[in-house]
């Protein structure tokens, strides 16, 4: 059966926003959720809109994501020789010597994957449940906890106009900057150690500038039109290259993942600049979503007083008093994370609902052989996109009010989180390995805010209440969307009274 072809002015109209274009298209086709194509600059994209087709695409080995990855590395200026090496078989690099004996690519790679594909296994070893994740998570949550001490508050997010505490002891805080500063700084130190930020204390701000404009690289804007992406990109790469030139012993506090990726890249002959590109892409993935999810969770919670009260009561038993001698929780934290993960259904439901509403991830694949999805046959070399956001607003799955925030949606129906229509972390071979650490870092930040501080929405001039911030649906995003430029949630914050 032939796929209907439509012409759009922008690929983004079909992708990462719940904008009228894609929903109107589904209505036009009677909401059959059959694949259709859009033509963009002479290139066709096949759009999958059904959960069944998306699931089938993930299982189909004839659908590859390498073209997208290669295009990304080219935009990051990876050398052709390194790009070739990361796709070569490990046998190509087999040699005698100590490096060979230590190489996981050579010795723990039974499927003989190329290094780029094997690197996904390294991420899973670090970020899936197990000893490596436990060690990483203890450190990560400890950094977050230290950041969130009242005496550690930073002028980055304490608004300068209100830097002097009022008689009530409150500070005025930018929620947007608070989430970003704490989580990106903590993740940077957890994965790369302290040396990276010693080299460039502004590295996290440079990343923020890059993250705001990186979509221009993905859409291959000419460099002259994407200076606000290329400038921060180059500065980040320069810092990472300097980092890699330092003696290994001076950055031995980096995570197992970062040290192993570097070692394996060096083993196949890649140099500092191209390894920096590999690490920058990882840094981007690690830091682009969790802080935005924290922002949206707290925005929703603080705009819904009943939910705020419910979550404060539900999470209170997870607070470990400072004098506790419990050994079940890392000494650097005051949160019983296992309790949050297993005994806080309203917190979990709120997390999943906010993910559903704010996520704009999409899967992109290239067809290597004729492929049938549903009743449609897709020819070789076609590009397939599955925009997950439109799946998250399917009324047949999520109920008659999918546009509304309902913090109990996933609590009432426990099967929703396992639905084929709910894909905030993708699926298949690219199923995000960071989903476990993401939930814990978000829970840590949100619960510390709710339990350690008295928090309320700041009033505006004239006694006006703050409007809820709007999602920036116009800017392409690979994950959690941010608010429109300039939007924020202003908070009045002070330490909570013990025993409240």
């Amino acid at each position: 059966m032939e796929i209907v072809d439509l012409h759009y002015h922008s690929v983004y109209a079909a992708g990462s926003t719940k904008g009228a274009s894609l929903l109107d298209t589904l209505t036009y086709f009677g909401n059959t959720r059959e694949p259709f194509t859009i033509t963009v600059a002479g290139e066709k994209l096949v759009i999958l809109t059904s959960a069944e087709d998306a699931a089938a695409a993930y299982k189909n080995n004839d659908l590859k994501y390498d073209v997208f990855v290669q295009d990304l590395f080219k935009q990051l200026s990876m050398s052709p020789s390194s790009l070739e090496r990361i796709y070569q078989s490990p046998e190509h690099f087999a040699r005698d010597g100590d490096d060979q004996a230590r190489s996981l690519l050579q010795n723990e790679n039974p499927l003989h994957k190329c290094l780029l594909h094997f690197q996904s296994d390294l991420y899973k070893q670090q970020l899936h449940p197990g000893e490596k994740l436990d060690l990483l998570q203890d450190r990560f949550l400890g950094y977050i906890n230290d950041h969130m001490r009242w005496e550690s508050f930073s002028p980055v997010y304490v608004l300068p106009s209100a830097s002097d505490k009022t008689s009530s002891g409150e500070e005025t805080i930018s929620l947007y900057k608070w989430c970003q500063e704490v989580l990106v700084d903590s993740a940077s130190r957890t994965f790369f150690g302290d040396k990276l930020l010693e080299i460039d204390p502004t590295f996290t701000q440079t990343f923020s500038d890059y993250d705001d404009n990186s979509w221009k690289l993905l859409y291959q804007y000419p460099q002259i039109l994407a200076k606000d992406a290329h400038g921060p990109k180059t500065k980040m790469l320069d810092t990472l290259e300097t980092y890699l030139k330092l003696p290994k012993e001076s950055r031995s506090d980096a995570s197992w993942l970062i040290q192993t990726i570097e070692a394996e890249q060096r083993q196949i002959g890649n140099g500092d600049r191209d390894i920096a590109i590999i690490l920058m892409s990882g840094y981007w993935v690690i830091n682009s979503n969790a802080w935005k999810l924290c922002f949206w969770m707290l925005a929703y919670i603080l705009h819904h007083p009943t939910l705020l009260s419910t979550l404060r009561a539900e999470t209170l038993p997870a607070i470990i008093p400072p004098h506790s001698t419990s050994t079940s929780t890392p000494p650097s934290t005051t949160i019983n994370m296992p309790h949050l993960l297993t005994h806080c259904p309203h917190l979990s439901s709120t997390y999943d609902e906010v993910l559903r509403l704010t996520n704009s991830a999409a899967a992109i694949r290239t067809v290597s052989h004729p492929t049938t999805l549903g009743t449609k046959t897709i020819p070789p070399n076609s590009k397939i996109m599955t925009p997950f956001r439109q799946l998250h607003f399917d009324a047949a799955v999520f109920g008659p009010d999918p546009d509304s925030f309902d913090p109990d949606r996933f609590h009432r129906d426990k099967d929703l989180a396992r639905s084929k229509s709910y894909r905030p972390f993708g699926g298949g071979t690219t199923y995000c390995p960071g989903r476990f650490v993401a939930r814990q870092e978000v829970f840590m930040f949100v619960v510390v805010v709710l339990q350690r501080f008295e928090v309320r929405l700041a009033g505006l001039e004239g006694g006006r209440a703050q409007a809820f911030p709007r999602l920036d649906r116009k800017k392409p995003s690979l994950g959690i969307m941010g608010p429109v430029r300039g939007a924020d949630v202003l908070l009045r914050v002070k330490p909570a009274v013990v025993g409240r």
Side-chain angles (χ1 to χ4, degrees):
M1 189 178 242
E2 185 177 348
I3 302 177
V4 176
D5 186 16
L6 300 176
H7 291 260
Y8 276 63
H9 294 295
S10 169
V11 65
Y12 194 58
S16 42
T17 134
K18 192 191 75 68
S21 297
L22 181 53
L23 295 184
D24 287 350
T25 301
L26 295 176
T27 302
Y28 174 81
F29 288 122
N31 206 27
T32 63
R33 294 199 170 266
E34 290 283 353
F36 62 91
T37 69
I38 62 173
T39 300
V40 183
E43 183 177 48
K44 291 186 177 180
L45 274 176
V46 179
I47 307 298
L48 304 184
T49 62
S50 80
E52 292 71 25
D53 286 345
Y58 273 125
K59 296 176 182 177
N60 193 321
N61 292 328
D62 290 331
L63 304 181
K64 311 293 185 182
Y65 67 94
D66 290 310
V67 172
F68 173 78
V69 175
Q70 291 166 6
D71 286 345
L72 172 61
F73 284 147
K74 289 175 183 176
Q75 288 295 313
L76 293 175
S77 306
M78 179 175 283
S79 68
S81 57
S82 289
L83 188 57
E84 180 181 4
R85 280 192 288 269
I86 62 177
Y87 279 101
Q88 289 177 322
S89 68
E91 288 79 12
H92 185 85
F93 306 102
R95 60 179 69 89
D96 295 330
D98 292 341
D99 288 343
Q100 171 83 5
R102 290 191 294 267
S103 171
L104 300 183
L105 180 72
Q106 299 294 340
N107 298 294
E108 297 184 18
N109 184 14
L111 297 181
H112 302 281
K113 297 178 180 180
C114 66
L115 180 53
L116 186 73
H117 294 170
F118 182 68
Q119 195 166 282
S120 297
D121 295 346
L122 300 180
Y123 272 89
K124 291 174 184 176
Q125 286 188 54
Q126 177 74 86
L127 299 176
H128 280 198
E131 182 180 357
K132 287 184 175 65
L133 176 60
D134 291 342
L135 293 172
L136 182 94
Q137 198 72 319
D138 288 356
R139 189 176 183 195
F140 201 168
L141 300 184
Y143 276 124
I144 295 173
N145 185 59
D146 291 343
H147 265 293
M148 299 293 283
R149 300 185 190 281
W150 182 248
E151 62 272 18
S152 299
F153 272 28
S154 166
V156 170
Y157 47 82
V158 176
L159 298 189
S161 60
S163 58
D164 294 330
K165 297 180 179 62
T166 65
S167 58
S168 65
E170 294 178 315
E171 295 276 20
T172 301
I173 301 291
S174 160
L175 179 61
Y176 183 91
K177 293 180 179 179
W178 195 13
C179 296
Q180 185 179 61
E181 172 69 10
V182 171
L183 291 179
V184 176
D185 184 276
S186 296
S188 300
R189 297 181 189 280
T190 298
F191 283 90
F192 288 83
D194 292 332
K195 188 61 69 174
L196 184 65
L197 298 185
E198 288 179 13
I199 296 170
D200 182 6
T202 67
F203 191 81
T204 58
Q205 181 56 52
T206 302
F207 166 73
S208 176
D209 296 339
Y210 172 76
D211 191 37
D212 282 344
N213 300 289
S214 58
W215 61 273
K216 296 180 181 179
L217 301 185
L218 300 177
Y219 284 79
Q220 300 183 21
Y221 272 44
Q223 185 162 345
I224 193 170
L225 300 178
K227 292 180 180 179
D228 48 4
H230 285 281
K233 176 200 77 173
T234 300
K235 187 177 180 182
M236 288 182 69
L237 289 175
D238 289 346
T239 300
L240 285 165
E241 189 173 8
T242 300
Y243 172 86
L244 288 166
K245 291 181 184 300
L246 294 174
K248 289 184 179 178
E249 56 269 20
S250 71
R251 44 192 177 87
S252 59
D253 56 347
S255 65
W256 174 88
L257 175 65
I258 298 304
Q259 295 191 50
T260 303
I261 288 175
E262 178 190 349
E264 296 297 333
Q265 289 288 334
R266 293 196 186 282
Q267 201 274 333
I268 69 169
N270 284 347
D272 290 334
R273 190 66 173 191
D274 289 323
I275 298 174
I277 289 171
I278 294 287
L279 294 183
M280 178 178 167
S281 64
Y283 187 96
W284 187 13
V285 171
I286 290 166
N287 285 299
S288 61
N289 289 309
W291 73 267
K292 295 173 190 170
L293 185 56
C294 279
F295 171 82
W296 288 116
M297 274 195 74
L298 284 165
Y300 276 110
I301 290 168
L302 294 169
H303 275 85
H304 292 78
T306 300
L307 176 61
L308 173 62
S309 298
T310 297
L311 293 181
R312 273 184 167 152
E314 181 180 74
T315 59
L316 181 59
I319 302 302
I320 300 173
H323 63 273
S324 172
T325 58
S326 170
T327 59
S328 63
T329 302
S332 61
T333 74
T334 57
I335 299 291
N336 183 337
M337 185 57 65
H339 183 92
L340 293 182
L341 295 172
T342 58
H343 290 81
C344 296
H346 292 95
L347 179 67
S348 292
S349 181
T350 302
Y351 176 88
D352 287 329
E353 177 72 348
V354 174
L355 262 178
R356 184 186 71 83
L357 289 170
T358 62
N359 193 293
S360 65
I364 300 176
R365 299 288 188 270
T366 301
V367 180
S368 60
H369 296 90
T371 298
T372 300
L373 292 172
T375 62
K376 312 295 186 181
T377 299
I378 302 172
N381 300 318
S382 300
K383 287 187 178 180
I384 293 177
M385 173 187 280
T386 307
F388 300 128
R389 185 163 172 76
Q390 50 84 27
L391 294 177
H392 294 172
F393 287 80
D394 187 349
V397 177
F398 295 100
D401 59 344
D403 293 355
S404 301
F405 170 66
D406 180 354
D408 287 330
R409 191 186 306 273
F410 287 81
H411 181 48
R412 288 193 305 271
D413 186 348
K414 305 297 191 297
D415 292 332
L416 280 182
R418 296 183 293 274
S419 169
K420 292 180 180 179
S421 293
Y422 185 60
R423 291 189 176 275
F425 295 105
T429 58
T430 54
Y431 195 21
C432 178
R435 61 193 183 275
F436 303 104
V437 70
R439 181 176 289 261
Q440 293 192 40
E441 65 177 297
V442 171
F443 278 15
M444 178 75 178
F445 186 91
V446 169
V447 172
V448 167
V449 169
L450 298 185
Q451 296 295 344
R452 190 173 291 178
F453 305 106
E454 295 284 355
V455 183
R456 62 184 177 89
L457 296 174
L460 302 180
E461 290 184 10
R464 293 178 296 114
Q466 291 187 59
F468 190 83
R470 292 185 294 113
L471 282 167
D472 188 352
R473 296 191 174 104
K474 294 182 179 180
K475 182 186 294 183
S477 169
L478 292 180
I480 304 298
M481 292 180 284
V484 296
R485 183 176 293 276
D488 200 348
V489 177
L490 302 183
L491 307 176
R492 298 289 285 168
V493 180
K494 66 178 180 180
V497 177
V498 177
R500 111 185 129 183

